Amino acid sequence: MAHPVFANLPTTVFEEMSGLARELGAINLGQGFPDDPGPLAIRQKAADEVLNGYNQYPPMAGLPQLREAVAGHYRRSQGLDLDWKTEVTVTSGATEALAAAFLALVEPGDEVVVFQPVYDAYLPLIRRAGGVPKLVRLEPPHWRFDRAMLEAAFTDKTRFVVLNNPINPAGVVLPREDLELLAEFCVAHDVTAICDEVWEQVVFDGAVHIPLMSLPNMRGRTVKIGSAGKMFGLTGWKVGFLCAAPELTHALARAHQFLTFTTPPSLQAAVAFGLDEPGDWFTAMPAGLQRSRDRLGEGLTREGFKVLASQGTYFLNVDLAASGVSEPDRAFALRAVKEAGVAAIPVSALYEADPVTSILRLCFSKGDATLDGGIERLARARELSRKAAT
């Protein structure tokens, strides 16, 4: 009786690997959440709001102070001029924002360009809205698209493109020239861009996140999605932002009101506080994650693994074939969690067609002891893999 889009969907790879990690007591370098509990002042603000603040239905579009704070944050950090009253909607996480965008905007038969590897929510939500995904395959080590790839994907039926930047799982922060190329195609084909930018604050080594919305001729044809959970390392809070021109926002908000309607007011108030008074969080947080990235990458390199560059997100990738592992990524990931006690994500699971099968994604937003233990166990998993191959 289930809708065919959802009837045959498997358990997500994130839930599968995290479930195995819990069941087996393994170190979890798979699902992307920090060991750290998040900024104390923001958590204290949320607790105070629960005890002493307003706990009934907030406005459907979000608390005014949070919408103002979102607009102010993007003005300061990215130079965007957003009208908080008509261009910002608060959602229950970025996945709900994505669902609202697809359900509000995509009509049956619309072609939607999507880049692989892909966040697993995109394709079923697009199809449930009646859209037709057109896949663009990105490859390691650079994970970049070019003109020929876009020419092959965009047609006269293309109405939308979905862009994740910085890219999970690739760890790439797209340079301006790539964004300008994509904007050129959006304008030429009259396409709306749905931009999943949840990792926008988690960038390293001096990289700069450029929102596609900021490029010429993209302001009115871009939906920008952000996540307080990723900004503040509070992934369980599920507070997201939809930013778009007024006509788009009108439709987005109407879809949102029939998905979750609203988001806990205590969390909204705490996020507004964090955006308005972040202290040094937006410099200290990426600096700390960069140290963790380097600890994991250097440790794996010492063990003989080939580590790919990571400019952003919580993730870095290992090239298994270049690291002396002959098994495909999924087989190695299952061996690693079951026999060596460390969970990771096989990147092939994030492709629908023609997958890259030699890349393993690892989460480095963990404490030093967890990272060191993960390095040791991954080395053990490689030895077990080699022995099995002989």
Side-chain angles (χ1 to χ4, degrees), residues 137-219:
R137 184 180 187 267
L138 304 183
E139 299 179 359
H142 302 299
W143 312 96
R144 303 270 295 277
F145 53 81
D146 59 26
R147 181 174 295 275
M149 295 162 73
L150 297 186
E151 287 175 344
F154 279 73
T155 74
D156 58 3
K157 294 182 180 179
T158 304
R159 296 291 177 267
F160 302 92
V161 60
V162 183
L163 179 68
N164 176 218
N165 180 38
I167 302 174
N168 169 23
V172 170
V173 179
L174 288 174
R176 180 174 291 274
E177 56 264 33
D178 290 27
L179 298 172
E180 289 176 343
L181 177 63
L182 183 60
E184 175 190 330
F185 275 77
C186 288
V187 173
H189 290 266
D190 193 21
V191 162
T192 297
I194 298 171
C195 293
D196 177 354
E197 300 185 356
V198 299
W199 300 104
E200 59 198 343
Q201 295 293 341
V202 189
V203 296
F204 315 123
D205 301 320
V208 176
H209 169 72
I210 302 170
L212 189 65
M213 179 183 275
S214 69
L215 270 60
N217 302 311
M218 292 304 297
R219 179 66 171 78

Coordinates of all heavy atoms in Angstrom, one line a residue, residues 137-219:
R137 N 27.7 13.1 -12.4 CA 28.6 12.3 -11.6 C 29.9 13.0 -11.3 O 30.7 13.3 -12.2 CB 28.9 11.0 -12.3 CG 29.8 10.0 -11.6 CD 30.0 8.8 -12.5 NE 30.7 7.7 -11.8 CZ 32.0 7.5 -11.9 NH1 32.8 8.3 -12.5 NH2 32.6 6.5 -11.2
L138 N 30.2 13.3 -10.0 CA 31.4 13.9 -9.6 C 32.4 12.8 -9.2 O 32.0 11.7 -8.7 CB 31.2 14.9 -8.5 CG 30.2 16.0 -8.7 CD1 30.2 16.9 -7.5 CD2 30.6 16.8 -9.9
E139 N 33.7 13.0 -9.4 CA 34.7 11.9 -9.2 C 35.8 12.5 -8.3 O 36.2 13.7 -8.4 CB 35.3 11.4 -10.5 CG 34.3 10.8 -11.4 CD 35.0 10.3 -12.7 OE1 36.2 10.5 -12.9 OE2 34.3 9.8 -13.6
P140 N 36.4 11.6 -7.5 CA 37.7 12.0 -6.8 C 38.8 12.1 -7.8 O 38.8 11.5 -8.9 CB 37.9 10.8 -5.8 CG 37.2 9.7 -6.5 CD 36.0 10.2 -7.2
P141 N 39.9 12.8 -7.4 CA 40.1 13.5 -6.1 C 39.5 14.9 -6.0 O 39.5 15.5 -4.9 CB 41.6 13.5 -6.0 CG 42.1 13.7 -7.4 CD 41.1 12.9 -8.3
H142 N 39.1 15.5 -7.2 CA 38.8 16.9 -7.1 C 37.3 17.2 -7.0 O 36.9 18.3 -6.5 CB 39.3 17.6 -8.4 CG 40.8 17.5 -8.6 ND1 41.7 18.0 -7.7 CD2 41.5 16.9 -9.6 CE1 42.9 17.7 -8.1 NE2 42.8 17.0 -9.2
W143 N 36.4 16.2 -7.4 CA 35.0 16.4 -7.2 C 34.4 17.6 -7.8 O 33.5 18.3 -7.3 CB 34.6 16.3 -5.7 CG 35.2 15.2 -4.9 CD1 36.3 15.3 -4.2 CD2 34.7 13.9 -4.8 NE1 36.6 14.1 -3.5 CE2 35.6 13.2 -3.9 CE3 33.6 13.2 -5.3 CZ2 35.4 11.9 -3.5 CZ3 33.4 11.8 -4.9 CH2 34.3 11.2 -4.1
R144 N 34.9 18.0 -9.0 CA 34.5 19.2 -9.7 C 33.6 18.9 -10.9 O 33.8 17.9 -11.5 CB 35.7 20.0 -10.1 CG 36.7 20.4 -9.0 CD 36.3 21.7 -8.4 NE 36.5 22.8 -9.3 CZ 37.6 23.5 -9.5 NH1 38.8 23.0 -9.0 NH2 37.7 24.5 -10.3
F145 N 32.7 19.8 -11.3 CA 32.0 19.7 -12.5 C 32.6 20.7 -13.6 O 33.2 21.7 -13.2 CB 30.5 19.9 -12.3 CG 30.1 21.2 -11.7 CD1 30.1 22.4 -12.4 CD2 29.8 21.2 -10.3 CE1 29.7 23.6 -11.7 CE2 29.5 22.4 -9.7 CZ 29.5 23.6 -10.4
D146 N 32.3 20.4 -14.8 CA 32.8 21.3 -15.9 C 31.7 21.6 -16.9 O 30.5 21.1 -16.7 CB 34.0 20.7 -16.6 CG 33.7 19.3 -17.2 OD1 32.6 19.1 -17.6 OD2 34.7 18.5 -17.4
R147 N 32.0 22.4 -17.9 CA 31.0 22.8 -18.9 C 30.3 21.6 -19.6 O 29.1 21.6 -19.8 CB 31.6 23.8 -19.9 CG 30.6 24.3 -20.9 CD 31.2 25.4 -21.8 NE 31.5 26.6 -21.0 CZ 30.7 27.5 -20.7 NH1 29.4 27.5 -21.1 NH2 31.1 28.6 -20.0
A148 N 31.2 20.7 -20.0 CA 30.6 19.5 -20.7 C 29.6 18.7 -19.9 O 28.6 18.3 -20.4 CB 31.8 18.6 -21.2
M149 N 29.9 18.6 -18.6 CA 29.0 17.9 -17.7 C 27.7 18.6 -17.6 O 26.6 17.9 -17.6 CB 29.7 17.7 -16.4 CG 30.9 16.8 -16.4 SD 32.0 17.0 -15.0 CE 31.1 16.1 -13.7
L150 N 27.7 19.9 -17.5 CA 26.5 20.7 -17.3 C 25.7 20.7 -18.7 O 24.5 20.5 -18.7 CB 26.8 22.1 -16.9 CG 27.4 22.2 -15.5 CD1 27.5 23.7 -15.1 CD2 26.6 21.5 -14.4
E151 N 26.4 20.7 -19.8 CA 25.7 20.7 -21.1 C 25.0 19.4 -21.3 O 23.9 19.3 -21.9 CB 26.7 20.9 -22.2 CG 27.2 22.4 -22.3 CD 28.3 22.5 -23.3 OE1 28.9 21.5 -23.8 OE2 28.6 23.7 -23.7
A152 N 25.6 18.3 -20.7 CA 24.9 17.0 -20.9 C 23.7 16.9 -20.0 O 22.8 16.1 -20.2 CB 25.9 15.9 -20.6
A153 N 23.6 17.6 -18.9 CA 22.6 17.5 -17.9 C 21.4 18.4 -18.1 O 20.3 18.1 -17.9 CB 23.1 17.7 -16.5
F154 N 21.7 19.7 -18.5 CA 20.6 20.7 -18.7 C 20.0 20.5 -20.0 O 20.6 20.4 -21.1 CB 21.2 22.1 -18.6 CG 21.5 22.6 -17.2 CD1 22.5 22.0 -16.4 CD2 20.7 23.5 -16.6 CE1 22.8 22.5 -15.1 CE2 20.9 24.0 -15.3 CZ 21.9 23.5 -14.6
T155 N 18.6 20.5 -20.0 CA 17.8 20.5 -21.2 C 16.7 21.5 -21.2 O 16.6 22.3 -20.2 CB 17.1 19.1 -21.3 OG1 16.1 19.0 -20.4 CG2 18.1 17.9 -21.1
D156 N 15.9 21.6 -22.2 CA 14.8 22.5 -22.2 C 13.7 22.2 -21.1 O 12.8 23.0 -20.9 CB 14.2 22.7 -23.6 CG 13.6 21.4 -24.1 OD1 13.7 20.4 -23.4 OD2 13.2 21.4 -25.3
K157 N 13.8 21.0 -20.5 CA 12.9 20.6 -19.4 C 13.4 20.9 -18.0 O 12.8 20.6 -17.0 CB 12.5 19.1 -19.6 CG 11.8 18.8 -20.8 CD 11.4 17.3 -20.9 CE 10.6 16.9 -22.1 NZ 10.3 15.5 -22.1
T158 N 14.7 21.3 -18.0 CA 15.3 21.5 -16.7 C 14.7 22.8 -16.0 O 14.6 23.8 -16.6 CB 16.8 21.8 -16.8 OG1 17.4 20.6 -17.5 CG2 17.5 21.9 -15.4
R159 N 14.2 22.6 -14.8 CA 13.6 23.7 -14.0 C 14.4 24.0 -12.7 O 14.3 25.1 -12.2 CB 12.2 23.3 -13.7 CG 11.3 23.2 -14.9 CD 11.0 24.5 -15.6 NE 10.2 24.3 -16.8 CZ 10.7 24.1 -18.0 NH1 12.0 24.0 -18.2 NH2 9.9 23.9 -19.0
F160 N 15.2 23.0 -12.2 CA 15.8 23.2 -11.0 C 17.2 22.6 -11.0 O 17.4 21.6 -11.7 CB 15.0 22.7 -9.8 CG 13.6 23.3 -9.7 CD1 12.6 22.7 -10.3 CD2 13.4 24.4 -9.0 CE1 11.3 23.2 -10.2 CE2 12.2 25.0 -8.9 CZ 11.1 24.4 -9.5
V161 N 18.1 23.1 -10.2 CA 19.4 22.4 -9.9 C 19.5 22.4 -8.4 O 19.2 23.4 -7.7 CB 20.5 23.0 -10.6 CG1 20.7 24.5 -10.2 CG2 21.8 22.3 -10.4
V162 N 20.0 21.3 -7.8 CA 20.3 21.2 -6.4 C 21.8 21.2 -6.2 O 22.5 20.3 -6.7 CB 19.7 19.9 -5.8 CG1 19.9 19.9 -4.3 CG2 18.2 19.8 -6.1
L163 N 22.3 22.1 -5.4 CA 23.7 22.2 -5.2 C 24.0 22.1 -3.7 O 23.4 22.9 -2.9 CB 24.2 23.6 -5.7 CG 25.7 23.8 -5.5 CD1 26.6 22.9 -6.3 CD2 26.1 25.3 -5.8
N164 N 24.8 21.2 -3.3 CA 25.4 21.1 -2.0 C 26.8 21.7 -1.9 O 27.7 21.2 -2.6 CB 25.4 19.7 -1.5 CG 26.0 19.5 -0.1 OD1 26.7 18.5 0.1 ND2 25.7 20.4 0.8
N165 N 27.0 22.8 -1.2 CA 28.2 23.5 -1.2 C 28.4 24.2 0.2 O 27.5 25.0 0.5 CB 28.4 24.5 -2.3 CG 29.7 25.2 -2.3 OD1 30.7 24.7 -2.0 ND2 29.6 26.5 -2.6
P166 N 29.5 23.9 0.9 CA 30.5 22.9 0.7 C 29.9 21.5 0.6 O 28.9 21.2 1.1 CB 31.4 23.0 2.0 CG 31.2 24.4 2.5 CD 29.7 24.7 2.2
I167 N 30.6 20.6 -0.2 CA 30.1 19.3 -0.6 C 30.4 18.3 0.5 O 31.5 18.0 0.8 CB 30.7 18.9 -1.9 CG1 30.4 20.0 -3.0 CG2 30.1 17.6 -2.4 CD1 31.1 19.7 -4.3
N168 N 29.3 17.6 0.9 CA 29.3 16.4 1.7 C 29.0 15.3 0.7 O 27.9 15.3 0.1 CB 28.3 16.5 2.8 CG 28.1 15.2 3.6 OD1 29.0 14.3 3.5 ND2 27.0 15.0 4.2
P169 N 29.8 14.3 0.6 CA 31.0 13.9 1.4 C 32.3 14.3 0.9 O 33.4 14.0 1.5 CB 30.9 12.4 1.4 CG 30.5 12.1 -0.1 CD 29.5 13.2 -0.4
A170 N 32.4 15.1 -0.2 CA 33.7 15.3 -0.8 C 34.6 16.3 0.0 O 35.8 16.2 -0.2 CB 33.5 15.9 -2.2
G171 N 34.0 17.1 0.9 CA 34.9 18.1 1.6 C 35.4 19.2 0.7 O 36.4 19.8 1.1
V172 N 34.7 19.5 -0.4 CA 35.1 20.5 -1.3 C 34.3 21.8 -1.1 O 33.1 21.8 -0.9 CB 34.9 20.1 -2.8 CG1 35.1 21.2 -3.8 CG2 35.9 18.9 -3.1
V173 N 35.0 23.0 -1.1 CA 34.4 24.3 -1.1 C 34.5 24.8 -2.5 O 35.6 25.1 -3.0 CB 35.1 25.2 -0.1 CG1 34.4 26.6 -0.1 CG2 35.0 24.6 1.3
L174 N 33.4 24.9 -3.2 CA 33.5 25.2 -4.6 C 34.0 26.6 -4.9 O 33.6 27.6 -4.2 CB 32.1 25.1 -5.3 CG 31.6 23.7 -5.4 CD1 30.1 23.7 -5.9 CD2 32.4 22.9 -6.4
P175 N 35.0 26.7 -5.8 CA 35.5 28.0 -6.1 C 34.6 28.9 -6.9 O 33.6 28.4 -7.5 CB 36.8 27.7 -6.9 CG 36.5 26.4 -7.6 CD 35.6 25.7 -6.6
R176 N 34.9 30.2 -7.0 CA 34.0 31.1 -7.7 C 33.8 30.7 -9.1 O 32.6 30.8 -9.7 CB 34.5 32.5 -7.6 CG 33.6 33.6 -8.3 CD 34.1 35.0 -8.1 NE 33.9 35.4 -6.7 CZ 32.8 35.9 -6.2 NH1 31.8 36.1 -7.0 NH2 32.7 36.3 -5.0
E177 N 34.8 30.2 -9.8 CA 34.6 29.9 -11.2 C 33.6 28.8 -11.5 O 32.9 28.8 -12.5 CB 36.0 29.6 -11.9 CG 36.8 28.5 -11.3 CD 37.8 28.9 -10.3 OE1 37.6 30.0 -9.6 OE2 38.9 28.2 -10.2
D178 N 33.6 27.8 -10.6 CA 32.6 26.8 -10.7 C 31.2 27.3 -10.5 O 30.2 27.0 -11.2 CB 32.8 25.7 -9.7 CG 34.1 24.9 -10.0 OD1 35.0 25.4 -10.7 OD2 34.2 23.7 -9.6
L179 N 31.0 28.2 -9.5 CA 29.7 28.8 -9.2 C 29.3 29.7 -10.4 O 28.1 29.7 -10.7 CB 29.8 29.5 -7.9 CG 30.1 28.7 -6.7 CD1 30.3 29.6 -5.4 CD2 29.0 27.7 -6.4
E180 N 30.2 30.4 -10.9 CA 29.8 31.3 -12.1 C 29.4 30.5 -13.3 O 28.5 30.9 -14.0 CB 31.0 32.2 -12.4 CG 31.3 33.3 -11.4 CD 32.6 34.1 -11.7 OE1 33.4 33.6 -12.5 OE2 32.7 35.2 -11.1
L181 N 30.0 29.3 -13.5 CA 29.6 28.4 -14.6 C 28.2 27.9 -14.3 O 27.4 27.9 -15.2 CB 30.6 27.3 -14.7 CG 30.3 26.2 -15.7 CD1 30.3 26.8 -17.1 CD2 31.3 25.0 -15.6
L182 N 27.9 27.5 -13.1 CA 26.6 27.0 -12.8 C 25.6 28.1 -12.9 O 24.5 27.9 -13.5 CB 26.6 26.4 -11.4 CG 25.2 25.7 -11.0 CD1 24.8 24.6 -11.9 CD2 25.3 25.2 -9.6
A183 N 25.9 29.3 -12.5 CA 25.0 30.4 -12.6 C 24.7 30.7 -14.0 O 23.5 31.1 -14.4 CB 25.6 31.6 -11.9
E184 N 25.7 30.6 -14.9 CA 25.5 30.9 -16.3 C 24.4 29.9 -16.9 O 23.5 30.3 -17.6 CB 26.8 30.7 -17.0 CG 26.7 30.8 -18.6 CD 28.0 30.3 -19.2 OE1 29.1 30.5 -18.7 OE2 27.9 29.8 -20.4
F185 N 24.5 28.7 -16.5 CA 23.5 27.7 -17.0 C 22.1 27.9 -16.4 O 21.1 27.8 -17.1 CB 24.0 26.3 -16.7 CG 24.9 25.7 -17.7 CD1 26.2 26.1 -17.8 CD2 24.4 24.8 -18.6 CE1 27.1 25.6 -18.7 CE2 25.3 24.2 -19.6 CZ 26.6 24.6 -19.6
C186 N 22.1 28.4 -15.1 CA 20.8 28.7 -14.5 C 20.1 29.8 -15.2 O 18.9 29.7 -15.5 CB 21.0 29.0 -13.0 SG 21.4 27.6 -12.0
V187 N 20.8 30.8 -15.5 CA 20.3 32.0 -16.2 C 19.8 31.6 -17.6 O 18.7 31.9 -18.1 CB 21.2 33.2 -16.2 CG1 20.7 34.3 -17.1 CG2 21.5 33.7 -14.8
A188 N 20.7 30.9 -18.4 CA 20.4 30.6 -19.7 C 19.2 29.7 -19.9 O 18.5 29.8 -20.9 CB 21.7 29.9 -20.4
H189 N 19.0 28.8 -18.9 CA 17.9 27.8 -19.0 C 16.7 28.2 -18.1 O 15.8 27.5 -17.9 CB 18.4 26.4 -18.6 CG 19.3 25.8 -19.6 ND1 18.9 24.9 -20.5 CD2 20.6 25.9 -19.7 CE1 19.9 24.5 -21.3 NE2 21.0 25.1 -20.8
D190 N 16.8 29.4 -17.5 CA 15.7 29.9 -16.6 C 15.4 28.9 -15.5 O 14.3 28.5 -15.2 CB 14.4 30.2 -17.3 CG 13.4 31.0 -16.5 OD1 13.9 31.6 -15.5 OD2 12.2 31.0 -16.8
V191 N 16.5 28.5 -14.8 CA 16.5 27.5 -13.7 C 16.6 28.1 -12.4 O 17.4 29.0 -12.2 CB 17.6 26.5 -14.0 CG1 17.9 25.6 -12.8 CG2 17.3 25.6 -15.2
T192 N 15.9 27.5 -11.4 CA 16.0 27.9 -10.0 C 16.9 27.0 -9.3 O 16.9 25.8 -9.5 CB 14.6 27.9 -9.3 OG1 13.7 28.8 -9.9 CG2 14.7 28.2 -7.8
A193 N 17.9 27.5 -8.5 CA 18.8 26.8 -7.8 C 18.4 26.6 -6.3 O 18.0 27.6 -5.7 CB 20.2 27.4 -7.8
I194 N 18.4 25.3 -5.9 CA 18.1 25.0 -4.5 C 19.4 24.6 -3.8 O 20.0 23.6 -4.2 CB 17.1 23.9 -4.4 CG1 15.7 24.3 -5.0 CG2 16.8 23.5 -2.9 CD1 14.7 23.2 -5.2
C195 N 19.9 25.5 -3.0 CA 21.3 25.4 -2.5 C 21.3 24.9 -1.0 O 20.9 25.7 -0.1 CB 22.0 26.8 -2.6 SG 22.2 27.3 -4.3
D196 N 21.8 23.8 -0.8 CA 22.0 23.2 0.5 C 23.4 23.6 1.0 O 24.4 23.0 0.6 CB 21.9 21.6 0.4 CG 22.1 20.9 1.6 OD1 22.5 21.5 2.6 OD2 22.0 19.7 1.6
E197 N 23.4 24.7 1.8 CA 24.6 25.3 2.3 C 24.9 25.1 3.8 O 25.4 25.9 4.4 CB 24.6 26.7 1.9 CG 24.5 26.9 0.4 CD 24.7 28.4 -0.1 OE1 24.8 29.3 0.8 OE2 24.6 28.6 -1.3
V198 N 24.5 23.9 4.3 CA 24.5 23.7 5.7 C 25.9 23.7 6.3 O 26.1 24.0 7.5 CB 23.8 22.4 6.1 CG1 22.3 22.4 5.7 CG2 24.5 21.2 5.5
W199 N 26.9 23.5 5.5 CA 28.3 23.5 6.0 C 29.0 24.8 5.8 O 30.2 24.9 5.9 CB 29.1 22.3 5.2 CG 28.5 21.0 5.5 CD1 27.8 20.2 4.6 CD2 28.6 20.2 6.7 NE1 27.4 19.1 5.2 CE2 27.9 19.0 6.4 CE3 29.2 20.4 7.9 CZ2 27.8 18.0 7.4 CZ3 29.1 19.4 8.9 CH2 28.4 18.2 8.6
E200 N 28.3 25.9 5.5 CA 28.9 27.1 5.1 C 29.8 27.7 6.1 O 30.8 28.5 5.8 CB 27.7 28.1 4.8 CG 26.8 28.4 6.0 CD 25.5 29.0 5.6 OE1 25.4 29.6 4.5 OE2 24.6 29.0 6.4
Q201 N 29.7 27.4 7.4 CA 30.6 27.9 8.4 C 31.7 27.0 8.8 O 32.6 27.4 9.5 CB 29.8 28.2 9.7 CG 28.8 29.4 9.6 CD 29.4 30.7 9.4 OE1 30.6 30.9 9.6 NE2 28.6 31.7 8.9
V202 N 31.7 25.8 8.2 CA 32.7 24.8 8.5 C 33.7 24.6 7.4 O 33.6 23.7 6.6 CB 32.0 23.4 8.9 CG1 33.0 22.4 9.5 CG2 30.8 23.6 9.9
V203 N 34.5 25.6 7.3 CA 35.5 25.6 6.2 C 36.9 25.9 6.8 O 37.0 26.6 7.8 CB 35.2 26.7 5.1 CG1 33.9 26.3 4.4 CG2 35.1 28.1 5.7
F204 N 37.9 25.4 6.1 CA 39.3 25.4 6.6 C 40.3 26.0 5.7 O 40.1 26.3 4.5 CB 39.7 24.0 6.9 CG 38.6 23.1 7.6 CD1 38.2 22.0 7.1 CD2 38.1 23.6 8.8 CE1 37.2 21.2 7.7 CE2 37.1 22.8 9.4 CZ 36.7 21.7 8.9
D205 N 41.5 26.3 6.3 CA 42.7 26.7 5.5 C 42.5 27.9 4.7 O 43.0 28.1 3.6 CB 43.1 25.5 4.5 CG 43.4 24.2 5.2 OD1 44.1 24.3 6.3 OD2 43.0 23.2 4.7
G206 N 41.7 28.8 5.2 CA 41.4 30.1 4.6 C 40.4 30.0 3.4 O 40.2 31.0 2.7
A207 N 39.8 28.9 3.2 CA 38.8 28.8 2.2 C 37.6 29.7 2.5 O 37.3 29.9 3.7 CB 38.3 27.3 2.0
V208 N 36.9 30.2 1.5 CA 35.8 31.1 1.7 C 34.6 30.5 1.0 O 34.6 30.2 -0.2 CB 36.1 32.5 1.1 CG1 34.9 33.4 1.2 CG2 37.3 33.1 1.8
H209 N 33.5 30.4 1.8 CA 32.2 29.9 1.2 C 31.6 31.1 0.5 O 31.4 32.1 1.0 CB 31.3 29.3 2.2 CG 29.9 29.1 1.7 ND1 29.6 28.1 0.9 CD2 28.8 29.8 1.9 CE1 28.3 28.1 0.6 NE2 27.8 29.2 1.2
I210 N 31.2 30.9 -0.8 CA 30.5 31.9 -1.6 C 29.1 31.4 -1.9 O 28.9 30.3 -2.5 CB 31.2 32.1 -2.9 CG1 32.7 32.6 -2.7 CG2 30.5 33.1 -3.8 CD1 33.5 32.6 -4.0
P211 N 28.1 32.0 -1.4 CA 26.7 31.6 -1.7 C 26.4 31.8 -3.1 O 26.7 32.9 -3.7 CB 25.8 32.4 -0.7 CG 26.6 33.6 -0.4 CD 28.1 33.2 -0.5
L212 N 25.8 30.9 -3.8 CA 25.4 31.0 -5.2 C 24.4 32.2 -5.3 O 24.4 32.9 -6.3 CB 24.7 29.8 -5.7 CG 24.4 29.7 -7.2 CD1 25.7 29.7 -8.0 CD2 23.6 28.5 -7.5
M213 N 23.6 32.5 -4.3 CA 22.7 33.6 -4.3 C 23.4 34.9 -4.5 O 22.8 35.9 -5.0 CB 21.9 33.6 -3.0 CG 20.9 34.7 -2.8 SD 20.1 34.7 -1.2 CE 18.8 33.6 -1.5
S214 N 24.6 35.0 -4.1 CA 25.3 36.3 -4.2 C 25.9 36.6 -5.6 O 26.3 37.8 -5.8 CB 26.5 36.3 -3.2 OG 27.5 35.4 -3.6
L215 N 25.8 35.7 -6.5 CA 26.3 35.9 -7.9 C 25.3 36.7 -8.7 O 24.1 36.7 -8.5 CB 26.7 34.6 -8.6 CG 28.1 34.1 -8.3 CD1 28.4 33.8 -6.9 CD2 28.3 32.8 -9.2
P216 N 25.8 37.5 -9.7 CA 24.9 38.2 -10.5 C 23.8 37.4 -11.2 O 24.0 36.3 -11.6 CB 25.9 38.8 -11.6 CG 27.2 38.8 -11.0 CD 27.3 37.6 -10.1
N217 N 22.6 38.0 -11.1 CA 21.4 37.4 -11.7 C 20.9 36.1 -11.0 O 20.0 35.5 -11.5 CB 21.6 37.0 -13.2 CG 22.0 38.2 -14.0 OD1 21.4 39.2 -14.0 ND2 23.1 38.0 -14.8
M218 N 21.4 35.8 -9.8 CA 21.0 34.6 -9.0 C 20.2 35.0 -7.8 O 19.6 34.1 -7.2 CB 22.2 33.8 -8.6 CG 23.0 33.1 -9.8 SD 21.9 32.1 -10.8 CE 21.4 30.8 -9.6
R219 N 20.1 36.3 -7.4 CA 19.4 36.6 -6.2 C 18.0 36.2 -6.2 O 17.4 35.7 -5.2 CB 19.5 38.2 -6.0 CG 18.8 38.7 -4.8 CD 19.5 38.3 -3.5 NE 19.0 39.0 -2.4 CZ 17.8 38.7 -1.8 NH1 17.0 37.7 -2.3 NH2 17.4 39.4 -0.7

